[in-house]
Amino acid sequence: MAEKRDWHRIATRYELEHDQVLEEQTVKVVEVEGQLICLGKYKGNYYALRNKCMHAGGYLGEGQCDFEGNVICPFHRYRYSLITGKNTSGEGYYARTYPLEMREDGLYIGLKVKSWWKF
Ligand code: FES
């Protein structure tokens, strides 16, 4: 069964067309419904990861993006693929990825619908 998601706009079409969201090969933190997300741009595409590094909680969105599309954690410099979330520096971690959807009016992120019993 497919996971149910709520979709939230994180950038307008205007912002995207005027390069006001992110510069190429950079990351930043965005807050969506109280969740911190690492939003990255690589080769013209946007990607979203959980902002928290699985090693010791570094904020990935405050790191850097390398020339291969990996976000580098600002704490201990472990790397995660923006595309897959896989830790590419060899420590065996994964960062949760979020689906993004380009729509007519902007860029949307899909967050899992929280079940009331998990609050
Ligand atoms: S907290 Fe991210 S590499 Fe250590």
Side-chain angles (χ1 to χ4, degrees):
M1 190 166 96
E3 291 174 331
K4 224 172 165 217
R5 292 188 180 273
D6 281 333
W7 291 87
H8 306 272
R9 188 168 68 172
I10 55 174
T12 65
R13 174 62 63 183
Y14 180 89
E15 291 169 328
L16 293 165
E17 288 176 355
H18 292 83
D19 291 329
Q20 295 176 348
V21 182
L22 269 178
E23 289 184 25
E24 179 60 29
Q25 213 175 301
T26 61
V27 293
K28 73 175 183 181
V29 180
V30 295
E31 186 175 348
V32 184
E33 296 291 307
Q35 293 187 49
L36 297 179
I37 309 287
C38 168
L39 182 68
K41 186 176 181 184
Y42 176 65
K43 291 190 174 177
N45 295 312
Y46 292 92
Y47 300 95
L49 300 178
R50 183 178 185 214
N51 192 45
K52 199 171 179 183
C53 176
M54 295 306 289
H55 176 231
Y59 293 145
L60 297 178
E62 294 177 3
Q64 297 171 317
C65 180
D66 70 13
F67 64 91
E68 294 177 319
N70 300 301
V71 59
I72 304 168
C73 179
F75 279 18
H76 310 103
R77 306 193 59 77
Y78 290 7
R79 293 188 307 272
Y80 296 86
S81 165
L82 272 175
I83 299 168
T84 65
K86 185 173 188 273
N87 165 243
T88 56
S89 46
E91 293 80 14
Y93 296 112
Y94 271 90
R96 183 186 307 151
T97 60
Y98 298 90
L100 295 177
E101 223 175 73
M102 195 66 79
R103 297 184 185 172
E104 222 168 84
D105 63 339
L107 181 64
Y108 283 74
I109 186 168
L111 301 180
K112 279 187 198 169
V113 174
K114 287 184 183 167
S115 303
W116 64 268
W117 62 86
K118 290 184 182 173
F119 281 104

